Amino acid sequence: MDNGLTHDGSVFINFRRYVSDPKEHGFRWVDIKQLRFSAEAVDDRGALAALIEHEQFRDDYAGGGVLPDGPRHGPYWLRSITPDLYEPMSQERAVQILREWVDPLWDVPTALEADLQREVFARLAAADGIYCLSDLGDEAIHDWGRVHDHFHEFVLIDRSAGRVTLIVAADD
């Protein structure tokens, strides 16, 4: 348990697994971290603060995995991220951003579409609150943070399931 959140599992969807030519959308992936919270958990901003403080948030998403004392989160210095930088977002807008990232001109393989539907889009549909990390600007990017071409981050709060889900969709 860490700040009222308990890591409850992760899912990693690597697009490379679904394509025959890795150069064709082979460097895209979605990382999903699920955390449970207690029934007496605080409001959404408090849940976002607890997530930012959780060790699972200390992931550079560049192959190093979670570093419990790490100073990075994705392309950003961890110290640059606060709950106020997460903007509330509608399910429709979140789906639009992710669908545009997946690429509407690409014939998405059936197995990948099924996995995205189950692991990403169904979670968006069930969430009571959806938050998107704002673009933090150049000053927040860490020393080698530009390894990601695209970096989309959503935090889903599902109160009925007692779950906070961190979804990162990126390509490198």
Side-chain angles (χ1 to χ4, degrees), residues 65-106:
V66 173
L67 299 173
D69 295 320
R72 296 173 184 86
H73 173 76
Y76 304 114
W77 290 112
L78 183 63
R79 67 180 179 263
S80 301
I81 302 173
T82 68
D84 294 334
L85 295 172
Y86 285 88
E87 299 175 10
M89 180 169 285
S90 70
Q91 174 192 351
E92 295 79 15
R93 180 67 181 129
V95 167
Q96 178 186 9
I97 289 168
L98 288 167
R99 287 285 179 201
E100 288 174 0
W101 171 75
V102 169
D103 189 349
L105 302 177
W106 180 44

Side-chain angles (χ1 to χ4, degrees), residues 144-162:
W144 46 267
R146 298 213 186 269
V147 297
H148 302 290
D149 292 330
H150 296 95
F151 187 85
H152 302 286
E153 178 173 319
F154 300 91
V155 176
L156 316 180
I157 299 175
D158 183 343
R159 292 206 175 273
S160 64

Side-chain angles (χ1 to χ4, degrees), residues 1-7 36-38 40 54-55:
M1 186 111 160
D2 191 344
N3 284 337
L5 296 178
T6 304
H7 183 239
R36 290 217 174 266
F37 60 86
S38 63
E40 56 276 352
H54 198 281
E55 72 177 23

Side-chain angles (χ1 to χ4, degrees), residues 52-70:
I52 292 166
E53 292 175 17
H54 198 281
E55 72 177 23
Q56 288 295 314
F57 198 76
R58 287 159 174 72
D59 191 334
D60 57 33
Y61 297 101
V66 173
L67 299 173
D69 295 320

